[in-house]
Amino acid sequence: MAACAAFMLFAAVFPADAAPAGVKTGKETGVRKRIALVIDDFGNGMSGTKEMMALPVKFTVAVMPFMPTSKADAEEAHRLGHDVIVHMPMEPVRGKKEWLGPGAITTDLDDSEIRRRVEAAIDHIPHAIGMNNHMGSKATADERVMRIVLTVCKERGLIFLDSRTTEHSVIPKLAAEIGVPYAVNNVFLDNSYKPAYIAKQVNVLVRQLQSRSDCVVIGHVGPPGLYTSKVLRSSLPELQQTADFVKLPDIVRGLPAFPDGLRL
């Protein structure tokens, strides 16, 4: 019933014969908007994994390291033509330590151990072209910690996506200083595991596209995975009237904005 309500909401948000309200199509403007879709939390055989992989657009698969299906999910994503990044567990301001997963970066680690964990995570995920943070509202605000993380990314030739779980993130500043290509998340789709909320967040994405040419949007497998994949699939035809779904490296640059739908 909840899923049906979400799709009814989509019908209201995206009429079948029109682009989203207030957004001109690429045909009308001559300029195509661009969406970089990132799906987090692959690597543990989570709900929605198969459905997300089957989405008919290219997206970025963020894989947690050292999990039961980490390597298999990365290999399958690569086979399907999706980009793969390391979904690096990092310490939040609030939350249980067990939510982080193995090999997490915490602010009590010394410099050498942070470096070792980042290098090990990169080595564990085949085909990785970048990294983003899993949780991390505390770690990504810590300049010492993130300088080490981003330095390793620079050495390995990786891009970095700031998932932007805190407005105090030092990633844009340090990435620019160190010379790491980076992007910043603009919208979280599924901070709440409810179809109606996910549908609302797609409408937030539509509004974001009114004022920017590029938008990074993050969803998840796991508890919201089946809902998020269904809502995305339902909305793709209308979104594609206005925007192209592109790979994350295509729009890597600094986009300093705090995302809607915060997920710590």
Side-chain angles (χ1 to χ4, degrees), residues 7-209:
F7 298 141
M8 290 175 67
L9 177 58
F10 261 110
V13 172
F14 300 124
D17 59 351
V23 181
K24 293 182 178 180
T25 67
K27 190 177 293 185
E28 292 170 321
T29 65
V31 177
R32 296 286 293 173
K33 308 281 187 170
R34 299 189 297 177
I35 299 170
L37 173 64
V38 180
I39 303 297
D40 286 350
D41 293 350
F42 286 92
N44 200 28
M46 301 286 272
S47 176
T49 293
K50 178 181 176 181
E51 290 77 7
M52 288 293 191
M53 289 286 194
L55 287 175
V57 292
K58 293 296 183 282
F59 64 96
T60 297
V61 174
V63 184
M64 294 186 69
F66 315 118
M67 302 295 277
T69 65
S70 295
K71 289 183 181 292
D73 287 352
E75 291 288 1
E76 177 64 4
H78 180 71
R79 184 187 72 80
L80 293 170
H82 303 310
D83 278 340
V84 175
I85 61 176
V86 179
H87 192 40
M88 191 75 211
M90 296 188 185
E91 183 180 1
V93 172
R94 296 181 299 276
K96 297 178 181 180
K97 193 171 185 180
E98 54 264 33
W99 292 351
L100 292 176
I105 302 301
T106 55
T107 57
D108 59 342
L109 298 174
D110 64 27
D111 292 7
S112 61
E113 181 61 13
I114 292 172
R115 170 176 278 273
R116 187 194 71 77
R117 291 190 182 197
V118 175
E119 290 177 337
I122 295 169
D123 290 341
H124 187 76
I125 304 298
H127 312 296
I129 57 96
M131 178 179 290
N132 74 334
N133 51 292
H134 170 64
M135 303 180 74
S137 53
K138 185 174 183 179
T140 59
D142 189 305
E143 187 162 331
R144 177 188 69 91
V145 170
M146 292 312 302
R147 185 176 295 278
I148 298 165
V149 173
L150 290 168
T151 296
V152 175
C153 288
K154 170 74 170 179
E155 293 168 356
R156 296 296 190 95
L158 301 186
I159 64 176
F160 199 97
L161 169 62
D162 183 357
S163 299
R164 204 65 172 167
T165 55
T166 173
E167 61 186 349
H168 303 297
S169 172
V170 298
I171 292 169
K173 169 193 167 188
L174 292 180
E177 176 187 324
I178 295 167
V180 177
Y182 76 100
V184 176
N185 177 36
N186 302 116
V187 180
F188 278 115
L189 285 176
D190 46 16
N191 192 45
S192 172
Y193 305 155
K194 297 178 180 179
Y197 177 87
I198 299 167
K200 179 181 75 69
Q201 289 304 103
V202 173
N203 201 29
V204 170
L205 169 61
V206 169
R207 293 198 301 271
Q208 289 270 0
L209 289 170

